[in-house]
Amino acid sequence: MGSTSLPRLLSLSNPAFSLHPKPNSPLLPARTRIAIKPNRHQLITRLCHPNSIINNSPTITSSPLPSSSHPVLFTNWTPPRPLWRGLSALVLAGQVAHRVLTGRVHRRNTLQQLERVGPGSTGVSLLTATFVGMAFTIQFVREFTRLGLHRSVGGVLALALSRELSPVVTAVVAAGRVGSAFAAELGTMQVSEQTDTLRVLGTQPVDYLVTPRVLACIVALPILTLLCFAVGLASSAFLADTIFGVSINIILDSARRALRPWDVISAMIKSQVFGAVISVVSCAWGVTTHGGAKGVGESTTSAVVISLVGIFIADFALSYMFFQGAGDSLKSAMG
């Protein structure tokens, strides 16, 4: 016991006494004490219980958050990306229609995009229409000849090319060539914040970027469709004459008797609808791109796929509306 100091004994026998006193402990010199102002609760505790040990550390009180009796719906819900992209395409189509009706069209950009969609896509469109027409001729000319219906070959070719093959083939080529370019360009401009720069300069991106592209597709695709129809019919007649022995004059005369003006008009209407679908979808997918280079690639691929699906759906709907009463054209071709 003699070797044990008094402070050590006191600390062992009384827990209130510590070898490491608190900052305001009376065991420390006066100059080392830290003046901590007690709060109101601590003052009341000292007056009521003078022998109690009080922790002089500042207390933090938190007020409870106001709770609502009715939970808020859809607070953490975000719509799926295809859904809000589809809605953005509809909104963009309405904005373009409003710009066109009010005359807010950037003519210089429209002419540039028209040159790009029209003459820039003519070669690949005509080449595709040529081989599609010849492949279609191979499928049924021999069978028609065996059945003695060689005089109706031209009418069948003309009706198939004008009503279905030429508009759809032209639209598919435009979706792969033009639609992908639109989505990639606008997507790159979106992720690099160039569209925000246009807004800062006082130019609306819909007026400067979207509307010219939509108008160019709507105007250029009907012309491309007529060219593809003429080239496809000529290639089919040439193949039927050289391989299957059906005269070109017979094919052209049968096509002339089978075709009606409405067949050509319906092909042009289809092409305009297809052009609107391609341009609006591609531009909408482009301006909603995010995520850098990876997002641009995904938007481009998705824009082409959605455009093709929209083309086939629109083709079915328009064919159902346009050709309900059709059926007498081949009779005229066989006469």
Side-chain angles (χ1 to χ4, degrees):
M1 293 295 293
S3 62
T4 304
S5 61
L6 182 60
R8 178 66 178 171
L9 293 174
L10 290 175
S11 63
L12 293 175
S13 59
N14 188 5
F17 186 86
S18 176
L19 291 176
H20 303 284
K22 296 179 181 180
N24 292 329
S25 175
L27 296 178
L28 294 176
R31 66 177 180 270
T32 62
R33 297 179 187 177
I34 300 175
I36 300 178
K37 184 179 180 180
N39 55 23
R40 182 178 179 184
H41 176 72
Q42 292 174 343
L43 291 176
I44 296 175
T45 306
R46 284 183 180 181
L47 293 176
C48 298
H49 306 282
N51 295 327
S52 64
I53 299 174
I54 301 174
N55 185 12
N56 288 326
S57 61
T59 59
I60 300 175
T61 60
S62 61
S63 59
L65 296 175
S67 60
S68 176
S69 58
H70 302 284
V72 181
L73 297 176
F74 306 112
T75 53
N76 297 323
W77 180 80
T78 55
R81 194 175 183 186
L83 177 61
W84 63 262
R85 270 188 158 175
L87 294 177
S88 67
L90 294 177
V91 173
L92 196 64
Q95 291 178 345
V96 171
H98 180 263
R99 261 71 171 182
V100 172
L101 293 176
T102 55
R104 296 167 57 182
V105 178
H106 199 281
R107 292 178 177 82
R108 183 178 179 182
N109 272 4
T110 303
L111 293 177
Q112 290 177 354
Q113 297 301 326
L114 189 61
E115 180 184 2
R116 180 183 184 184
V117 176
S121 303
T122 302
V124 63
S125 299
L126 295 182
L127 185 64
T128 305
T130 299
F131 285 97
V132 167
M134 290 192 295
F136 190 71
T137 303
I138 293 173
Q139 296 296 326
F140 69 92
V141 169
R142 180 178 299 172
E143 304 299 330
F144 273 49
T145 305
R146 288 177 180 177
L147 295 174
L149 301 175
H150 59 281
R151 291 189 175 274
S152 63
V153 170
V156 173
L157 286 173
L159 292 177
L161 288 171
S162 63
R163 292 181 178 181
E164 292 297 329
L165 291 180
S166 296
V168 173
V169 168
T170 306
V172 169
V173 172
R177 187 185 183 279
V178 179
S180 59
F182 287 173
E185 287 178 357
L186 296 183
T188 304
M189 296 181 70
Q190 180 68 24
V191 299
S192 60
E193 299 180 355
Q194 296 183 34
T195 54
D196 297 334
T197 305
L198 289 176
R199 293 187 181 93
V200 171
L201 295 176
T203 303
Q204 290 295 328
V206 177
D207 300 341
Y208 190 77
L209 299 175
V210 179
T211 305
R213 286 169 168 80
V214 175
L215 287 179
C217 286
I218 293 176
V219 173
L221 253 67
I223 301 175
L224 287 177
T225 299
L226 291 178
L227 294 176
C228 289
F229 167 70
V231 172
L233 185 61
S235 63
S236 298
F238 175 76
L239 184 67
D241 186 24
T242 56
I243 295 181
F244 300 104
V246 181
S247 175
I248 294 179
N249 294 327
I250 294 176
I251 291 178
L252 295 181
D253 183 67
S254 176
R256 180 184 59 81
R257 285 186 278 109
L259 281 178
R260 298 288 185 270
W262 174 245
D263 295 325
V264 179
I265 294 173
S266 65
M268 298 183 68
I269 294 175
K270 280 187 175 183
S271 300
Q272 288 181 329
V273 175
F274 297 161
V277 170
I278 293 169
S279 56
V280 170
V281 170
S282 301
C283 293
W285 261 241
V287 298
T288 56
T289 302
H290 60 82
K294 181 180 179 181
V296 173
E298 292 177 352
S299 296
T300 303
T301 305
S302 179
V304 174
V305 173
I306 298 300
S307 297
L308 293 177
V309 174
I311 287 169
F312 297 138
I313 294 175
D315 179 57
F316 166 74
L318 293 175
S319 298
Y320 186 82
M321 290 188 298
F322 290 163
F323 306 117
Q324 279 289 326
D328 298 333
S329 298
L330 286 180
K331 292 182 181 179
S332 301
M334 295 176 64

